[in-house]
């Protein structure tokens, strides 16, 4: 038998958490608005013709690949076609069991090179290094399977340039993506990492690795994710970037200073969230070493990637991502309230713990608890509905705000009906999709808790959006 | 229906009002988004039409036709001024440029740009700065000069670019005066300014300035000296080549590696045994760029260096030497002094073969 006081305390607890989370998000929203308006002002100016463009830092584009035979050729083509004065593309085949190695070797006339392999970061053995006889700036590393992080470390070891860019093998970087992402490195010596924005390739028209037309997919799951990504990137990342507290740079598109990454030991291979873990560790180490640094985000450096259209794949992805969040935070626990932690240690990290990491636990527990309280007769049906109403209304508000930021800034989706569809999706995603994703994230949390083993995220690519000539 | 509201506890009430306020804001934002999209489409269409009209007018004017245009409206100013600047900067012929300037005067672009310089919106001000630089009116010099010390880098740099457009000779002095204080000017844009001013005008003053500059500025700017005349660049390199700061010496060597003269080669060669590996790395790169067959022994010595970067660059330099054939390189591989040099030479040679 529960006392009315206890029920009241539970309600109060939910209210406090609810208020904390949502005011955090609304503050992030404000911060993102400021960041966007500042950025748009400078981007407009930097769009003026650059008279001399030979001073960009050279970049190694690292493409870890595991069973990517369907999309790898187009991805490499798009990376070779990037509008950038000096870059090399390093494809790392992480012991694929399909024909990835053969497909790449044949498509780009790769020949084995007796390259001395400098193992600055320890990796699984490298079997061979190939260079293309057609594209001098294309390199292929064939190594034993060791996971994505291990493949990236091998790529870092082989890379020749001071900056490296990580790109997923199923992704397409916008033609000027590298030029835009490198700007912070040119303008500020303290910048050690910069993330780009990830957008959905589903529904777009892409030919031979070049984006021809932006569109929306028909698949409802992909549509929900588009709104979700907008929310995550436009105010999640931009908001934190303003105070140098960005904790995530997506593995699908990030640019890093190689010496900084090598100094902190490269990617960790014992986590499935190696991209986030690296960024959190960079913050932690730089602060421990009293180094001046910046980790930044460029909202118009775009990378187009295929979003899962099947529930099972989406579930696996979200489970893996949340496990990655759990591991990244616990592996860098020292950053939390560290005396030199700054905004990142005292605000962003705790926010990440309470809202992102524990969020799904509290959210699902909240739903279940309210349902149980109602079923046991402690609260009225109408009270239960009010809780649900408030949660859905605030969720919708956040999604719509992200859409507004998009409209105010980048207008990625050109047609008016695109915006209408996205508006409807932003309303609908609160009725089932968000709760489902919260449940998947809870599963990820449980897997982390019970230390289940992870590996490369397995995603079946159809590559329909990516046409060949 | 609203029994929870009248009878329940304050927490439920708070939740209820959070929901109501959020939904009200959602509705408001939806209306705002739809309005923004309609406005965006309308503005795009209006700008497209205006751009087409003004473009054909500008082309007609360049061809010597009399054109009639309605007065320039505020909403199309940005599109028109962008179009004008692009066309102006695409035209090289002095007569055509003058015609473009006449057009700007005739249709009020100049006056409007001066007014827009006082706008609060940064984007509008930047456009106006760029346009005033292109209009070439000497009277605007003092107005533009006031923006040189703006707290925003992008504004000060745009003002500097405008001054260079206006009068490159006169712009040298204010530019040099601000090289130290405006360290955050993007490197590519700064190099663009140097290029636009031109080596003939810039060489001597920039070299003199570099000789008086602080060590930080020397390190930051020495690489730009490849854009000026070799004699002045060499003058600066000679002055700093034996500095105690390894970064300054490395910068000098980098610069010398971009001046393909016997004098610069002679200055680089003795630095093969420099105590700093940073300098030795640059020496290897420079010898690869401007060296010849006589430098093979020096590069082989660097290929045995205790620092890996020096070895890597030395091997790459050997392969890039102009007058070495495959047989020479093969012999070198056979007699390579250590395992790394052997492997690295083999790799570089194979790469050269594959790519060729």
């Amino acid at each position: 038998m529960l006392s009315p006081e206890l029920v009241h305390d539970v309600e109060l607890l939910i209210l406090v958490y609810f208020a904390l989370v949502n005011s955090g998000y609304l503050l992030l929203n404000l911060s993102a608005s400021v960041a966007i308006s500042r950025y748009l002002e400078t981007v407009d100016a930097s769009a003026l013709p650059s008279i001399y463009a030979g001073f960009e830092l050279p970049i190694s584009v690292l493409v870890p690949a595991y069973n990517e035979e369907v999309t790898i050729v187009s991805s490499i083509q798009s990376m070779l076609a990037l509008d950038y004065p000096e870059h090399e593309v390093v494809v790392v085949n992480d012991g694929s069991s399909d024909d990835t190695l053969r497909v790449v070797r044949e498509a780009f006339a790769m020949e084995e090179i007796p390259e001395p392999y400098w193992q600055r970061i320890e990796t699984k053995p490298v079997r061979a290094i190939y260079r293309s006889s057609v594209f001098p700036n294309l390199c292929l590393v064939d190594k034993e399977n060791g996971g994505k992080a291990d493949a990236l470390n091998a790529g870092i070891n082989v890379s020749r340039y001071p900056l490296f860019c990580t790109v997923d093998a199923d992704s397409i970087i916008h033609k000027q993506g590298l030029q835009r992402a490198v700007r912070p490195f040119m303008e500020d010596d303290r910048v050690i990492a910069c993330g780009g924005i990830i957008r959905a390739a589903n529904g777009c028209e892409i030919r031979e690795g070049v984006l021809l037309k932006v569109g929306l997919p028909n698949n409802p799951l992909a549509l929900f994710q588009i709104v979700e990504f907008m929310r995550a990137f436009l105010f999640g990342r931009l908001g934190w970037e303003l105070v140098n507290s960005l904790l995530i740079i997506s593995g699908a598109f990030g640019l890093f200073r190689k010496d900084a990454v090598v100094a902190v030991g490269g990617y960790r291979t014992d986590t499935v969230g190696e991209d986030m873990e690296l960024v959190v560790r960079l913050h932690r180490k730089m602060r421990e070493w009293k180094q001046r640094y910046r980790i930044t985000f460029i909202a118009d450096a775009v990378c187009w990637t295929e979003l899962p259209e099947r529930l099972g794949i989406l579930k696996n992805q979200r489970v893996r991502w949340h496990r990655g969040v759990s591991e990244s935070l616990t592996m860098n626990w020292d950053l939390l309230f560290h005396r030199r932690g700054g905004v990142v240690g005292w605000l962003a990290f705790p926010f990440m713990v309470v809202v992102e990491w524990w969020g799904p636990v509290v959210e699902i527990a909240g739903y279940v608890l309210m349902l149980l309280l109602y079923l046991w007769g402690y609260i009225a049906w109408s009270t239960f509905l009010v809780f649900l109403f408030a949660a859905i209304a605030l969720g919708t508000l956040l999604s719509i705000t992200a859409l507004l930021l998009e409209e105010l800034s980048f207008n990625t989706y050109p047609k008016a009906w695109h915006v209408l569809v996205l508006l409807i999706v932003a309303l609908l995603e609160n009725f089932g999709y968000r709760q489902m994703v919260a449940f998947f994230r809870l599963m990820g949390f449980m897997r982390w808790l019970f230390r289940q083993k992870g590996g490369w995220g397995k995603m079946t690519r159809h590559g329909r959006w990516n046409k060949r000539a | 229906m609203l029994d929870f509201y009248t009878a329940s506890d304050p927490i439920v009430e708070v939740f209820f009002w959070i929901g109501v306020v959020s939904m009200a804001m959602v509705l408001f934002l939806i209306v705002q988004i739809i309005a923004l999209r309609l406005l965006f489409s309308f503005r795009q269409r209006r700008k497209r039409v205006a751009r087409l009209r003004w473009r054909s007018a500008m082309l007609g004017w360049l061809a010597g036709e009399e054109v009639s245009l309605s007065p320039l409206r505020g909403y199309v100013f940005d599109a028109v001024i962008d179009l004008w600047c692009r066309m102006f900067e695409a035209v090289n012929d002095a007569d055509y440029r003058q015609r473009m300037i006449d057009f700007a005067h005739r249709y009020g672009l100049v006056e409007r740009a001066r007014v827009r310089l006082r706008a609060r919106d940064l984007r509008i001000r930047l456009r106006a700065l760029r346009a005033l630089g292109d209009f070439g009116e000497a009277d605007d010099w003092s107005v533009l000069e006031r923006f040189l010390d703006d707290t925003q880098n992008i504004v000060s740099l745009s003002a500097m670019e405008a001054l260079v457009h206006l009068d490159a000779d006169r712009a040298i002095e204010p530019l040099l005066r601000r090289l130290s204080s405006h360290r955050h000017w993007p490197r590519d844009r700064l190099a663009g300014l140097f290029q636009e001013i031109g080596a003939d005008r810039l060489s001597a003053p920039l070299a003199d300035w570099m000789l008086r500059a602080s060590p930080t500025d020397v390190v930051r700017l020495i690489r730009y000296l490849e854009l000026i005349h070799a004699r002045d660049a060499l003058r600066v390199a000679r002055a700093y080549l034996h500095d105690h700061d390894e970064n300054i010496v490395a910068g000098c060597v980098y610069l010398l590696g971009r001046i393909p003269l016997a004098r610069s080669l002679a200055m680089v060669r003795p630095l093969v045994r420099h105590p700093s590996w940073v300098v030795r790395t640059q020496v290897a790169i420079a010898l690869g760029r401007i060296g010849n067959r006589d430098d093979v022994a020096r590069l082989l010595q660097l290929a045995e260096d205790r620092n890996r970067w020096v070895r890597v660059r030395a091997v790459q330099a050997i392969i890039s030497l102009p007058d070495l054939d495959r047989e020479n390189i093969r012999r070198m591989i056979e007699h390579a002094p250590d395992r790394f040099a052997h492997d690295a030479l083999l790799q570089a040679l194979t790469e050269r073969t594959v790519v060729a």
Side-chain angles (χ1 to χ4, degrees):
Chain A
M1 190 69 184
L2 298 175
S3 67
E5 287 77 20
L6 186 63
V7 175
H8 180 269
D9 288 348
V10 169
E11 284 177 354
L12 188 65
L13 197 69
I14 293 175
L15 178 66
V16 169
Y17 184 80
F18 195 73
L20 188 78
V21 170
N22 288 294
S23 31
Y25 276 133
L26 289 173
L27 279 176
L28 272 181
N29 234 312
L30 281 177
S31 171
S33 312
V34 175
I36 281 192
S37 64
R38 274 193 199 171
Y39 182 67
L40 286 176
E41 284 184 343
T42 54
V43 89
D44 223 49
S46 53
L48 302 175
S50 179
I51 311 160
Y52 187 84
F55 277 72
E56 285 99 339
L57 295 161
I59 296 173
S60 302
V61 181
L62 310 185
V63 190
Y66 178 70
N67 293 351
E68 304 279 359
E69 62 179 9
V70 180
T71 53
I72 187 77
V73 172
S74 294
S75 295
I76 297 174
Q77 279 170 340
S78 83
M79 282 157 213
L80 288 169
L82 284 172
D83 193 1
Y84 199 76
E86 191 176 356
H87 74 290
E88 63 168 357
V89 179
V90 181
V91 182
V92 186
N93 176 44
D94 190 47
S96 297
S97 54
D98 69 354
D99 263 346
T100 303
L101 181 67
R102 186 185 59 78
V103 164
V104 177
R105 283 189 62 183
E106 284 179 9
F108 299 98
M110 311 292 297
E111 291 193 28
E112 196 173 338
I113 294 287
E115 184 157 334
Y117 178 68
W118 183 16
Q119 191 152 303
R120 275 168 288 187
I121 307 167
E122 205 176 312
T123 64
K124 285 276 167 71
V126 168
R127 294 176 191 144
I129 298 174
Y130 303 85
R131 286 218 169 247
S132 167
S133 53
V134 185
F135 301 96
N137 59 336
L138 174 61
C139 170
L140 169 67
V141 181
D142 182 33
K143 65 180 278 292
E144 285 180 15
N145 181 267
K148 187 177 174 185
D150 196 61
L152 285 167
N153 286 338
I156 293 171
N157 287 340
V158 170
S159 66
R160 296 176 173 187
Y161 293 142
L163 297 182
F164 73 86
C165 173
T166 58
V167 186
D168 278 352
D170 58 329
S171 304
I172 305 281
I173 302 181
H174 185 277
K175 214 167 163 48
Q176 272 96 42
L178 280 188
Q179 288 219 4
R180 289 172 186 170
V182 84
R183 239 166 221 290
F185 292 90
M186 307 264 298
E187 291 171 2
D188 189 346
D189 290 339
R190 295 170 302 167
V191 174
I192 55 170
C194 172
I197 192 165
I198 311 298
R199 291 190 183 273
N202 312 48
C204 297
E205 199 180 322
I206 293 170
R207 191 177 292 274
E208 304 235 307
V210 177
L211 179 84
L212 300 177
K213 205 163 114 190
V214 176
L216 287 177
N218 297 321
N219 183 286
L221 263 189
L223 280 170
F224 286 137
Q225 289 171 79
I226 289 176
V227 174
E228 197 185 4
F229 272 44
M230 256 181 213
R231 213 170 41 229
F233 281 93
L234 285 184
F235 70 75
R237 310 267 160 107
L238 268 174
W240 286 120
E241 189 269 340
L242 195 70
V243 284
N244 193 26
S245 299
L246 190 64
L247 285 171
I248 306 176
I249 286 180
S250 168
F253 185 29
L255 195 55
F256 296 85
R257 228 173 63 196
K258 189 161 73 181
D259 57 354
V261 173
V262 171
V264 301
Y267 286 93
R268 278 182 74 145
T269 53
D270 54 350
T271 168
V272 291
E274 70 291 325
D275 45 1
M276 178 179 173
E277 197 284 327
L278 175 69
V279 178
V280 182
R281 185 150 38 95
L282 280 169
H283 275 292
R284 179 166 65 85
K285 292 286 186 186
M286 292 296 146
R287 287 186 175 275
E288 277 174 13
W289 297 338
K290 297 184 187 169
Q291 299 273 322
R292 292 173 71 238
Y293 74 101
R294 272 197 74 79
I295 294 178
T296 183
F297 173 76
I298 293 288
D300 68 345
V302 183
C303 176
W304 301 88
T305 197
E306 184 183 336
L307 303 178
E309 293 189 350
R310 279 168 37 198
L311 201 57
I313 300 168
L314 178 71
K315 187 197 88 183
N316 291 341
Q317 187 192 57
R318 296 312 162 94
V319 167
R320 200 176 65 249
W321 283 3
H322 204 74
R323 238 192 91 176
V325 170
S326 312
E327 288 168 349
S328 306
L329 295 176
T330 49
M331 283 171 173
N332 294 284
W333 207 242
D334 290 352
L335 183 59
L336 183 68
F337 302 129
H338 189 282
R339 63 194 165 88
R340 280 197 295 274
V343 182
V344 66
W346 287 82
L347 199 62
F349 197 103
F351 184 85
M352 187 62 89
V353 170
V354 175
V355 177
E356 295 296 336
W357 187 28
W358 282 86
V361 181
V362 178
E363 195 176 335
I364 298 294
Y367 288 133
V368 173
L369 200 64
M370 293 311 288
L371 191 65
L372 287 177
L373 287 176
Y374 160 68
L375 290 174
W376 291 336
Y378 292 105
I379 58 169
W381 169 240
S382 49
T383 307
F384 177 65
L385 277 185
V386 168
F387 278 103
L388 208 60
F389 167 61
I392 287 173
L394 259 170
T396 313
L397 180 62
L398 291 173
S399 303
I400 296 284
T401 320
L403 213 57
L404 179 70
L405 283 179
E406 170 73 33
E407 272 302 290
L408 284 171
S409 51
F410 305 110
N411 296 106
T412 307
Y413 295 97
K415 306 255 191 253
W417 68 265
H418 288 153
V419 180
L420 280 177
V421 170
L422 291 175
L423 271 176
I424 295 166
V425 171
L427 294 173
L428 289 181
E429 67 148 355
N430 294 286
F431 298 93
Y433 176 78
R434 286 183 76 155
Q435 292 76 5
M436 181 181 74
V437 168
F439 183 70
F440 294 158
R441 292 166 67 204
L442 179 67
M443 286 170 71
F445 184 86
M446 301 311 282
R447 293 229 177 130
W448 166 79
L449 204 60
F450 296 110
R451 300 280 186 268
Q452 286 184 15
K453 199 171 154 43
W456 271 86
K458 208 172 171 191
M459 175 160 159
T460 313
R461 315 275 177 208
H462 55 62
R464 278 194 295 273
W465 45 273
N466 203 355
K467 293 176 185 158
R468 301 268 179 90
Chain B
M1 179 74 184
L2 289 175
D3 56 336
F4 60 85
Y5 176 63
T6 49
S8 68
D9 62 78
I11 293 176
V12 180
E13 205 176 317
V14 171
F15 270 100
F16 173 72
W17 282 110
I18 286 175
V20 170
V21 171
S22 302
M23 282 319 285
M25 284 176 74
V26 164
L27 290 176
F28 171 70
L29 290 181
I30 288 176
V31 172
Q32 198 181 351
I33 289 171
I34 293 171
L36 272 172
R37 176 48 66 130
L38 291 175
L39 194 66
F40 175 73
S41 306
F42 172 68
R43 282 183 177 161
Q44 290 290 98
R45 204 167 38 245
R46 197 169 61 174
K47 273 187 183 171
R48 203 167 42 241
V49 171
R51 204 180 288 131
L52 278 174
R53 201 171 53 235
W54 281 82
R55 188 170 179 273
S56 64
M58 284 179 203
L59 288 171
W61 181 271
L62 279 178
E65 293 167 15
E66 257 317 299
V67 291
S68 70
L69 278 166
S70 49
L72 181 64
R73 300 272 171 84
Y75 62 84
V76 290
F77 177 80
D78 290 346
V80 171
I81 209 74
D82 275 350
L83 178 68
W84 187 92
C85 287
R86 277 179 206 286
M87 283 182 73
F88 180 81
E89 285 158 21
V91 169
N92 286 324
D93 185 90
D95 287 343
Y96 282 135
R97 282 196 156 205
Q98 189 51 51
R99 287 191 72 80
M100 286 295 290
I101 292 170
D102 294 344
F103 179 92
H105 279 286
R106 169 86 177 262
Y107 293 101
L109 267 65
V110 179
E111 282 310 309
R112 191 60 76 92
R114 284 176 186 146
V115 174
R116 305 281 275 194
L117 211 50
R118 295 193 291 270
R120 283 185 55 168
D121 188 325
L122 176 67
R123 283 170 282 189
I124 296 174
R125 271 186 290 149
L126 290 174
R127 277 200 177 84
L129 280 171
R130 180 188 180 194
L132 286 175
D134 283 345
F135 293 150
E137 289 288 316
D139 294 348
D140 290 324
W141 182 274
S142 54
V143 182
L144 293 173
E145 208 174 15
R146 281 206 293 274
F147 288 88
L148 283 180
D149 295 312
D150 195 282
T151 48
Q152 282 178 287
N153 274 319
I154 201 76
V155 175
S156 57
L157 179 62
S158 297
M160 193 68 247
E161 285 172 342
L163 289 180
V164 171
H165 283 267
L166 208 59
D167 187 343
D169 276 320
R170 199 175 161 196
I172 293 173
E173 193 269 330
L175 170 65
L176 294 179
R177 226 167 350 113
R178 282 163 183 87
L179 280 181
S180 287
S181 53
H182 291 65
R183 288 191 178 142
H184 294 295
W185 279 354
R187 283 179 271 191
D188 59 336
R189 301 281 287 268
L190 190 55
L193 278 176
F194 288 171
Q195 273 213 325
E196 193 178 343
I197 293 172
D200 289 342
R201 293 190 189 105
L202 191 66
S203 276
L206 183 59
D208 291 342
W209 184 87
M210 287 291 286
L211 292 171
R212 297 189 307 269
S214 69
T216 320
D217 288 329
V218 174
V219 172
R220 187 168 61 95
L221 296 168
I222 197 158
R223 56 189 311 197
Y224 294 98
L225 296 191
E226 68 174 290
L227 301 171
I228 66 172
H229 289 316
R231 63 170 186 280
D232 290 306
L234 287 175
R235 185 155 60 92
V236 178
R238 196 173 295 115
Y240 287 115
L241 200 56
H242 300 290
D243 198 277
H244 63 274
D245 184 339
E246 61 177 17
N247 292 312
I248 291 182
V249 183
C252 288
V253 179
Y254 169 92
L255 173 65
L256 292 169
R258 270 139 184 91
I259 305 173
L261 293 175
R263 273 181 294 163
S264 47
L265 186 57
M267 288 162 78
V268 171
R269 281 173 173 163
L271 296 171
V272 167
R273 287 195 183 82
H274 196 279
S276 161
W277 70 268
V278 180
V279 175
R280 292 198 304 277
T281 305
Q282 286 300 333
V283 169
I285 295 169
L287 289 179
R289 290 178 72 99
I290 59 172
N292 53 44
R293 186 187 284 265
D294 297 342
D295 294 302
V296 170
R298 290 183 188 87
L299 286 168
L300 279 173
Q301 182 190 332
L302 289 172
E304 288 179 68
D305 200 280
R306 61 186 177 280
N307 182 284
R308 187 185 187 276
W309 281 119
V310 181
R311 299 200 302 264
V312 170
R313 296 302 180 198
V315 168
Q316 286 170 351
I318 290 172
I319 298 296
S320 62
L321 283 177
D323 43 2
L324 280 185
D325 57 26
R326 290 175 58 84
E327 269 319 299
N328 290 128
I329 299 172
R330 276 203 192 289
R331 268 200 299 280
M332 262 186 252
I333 292 170
E334 280 164 22
H335 299 102
D338 69 11
R339 176 69 198 271
F340 175 83
H342 174 275
D343 290 352
L345 276 168
L346 187 63
Q347 177 205 343
L349 179 66
T350 318
E351 269 183 33
R352 200 164 85 165
T353 314
V354 165
V355 174

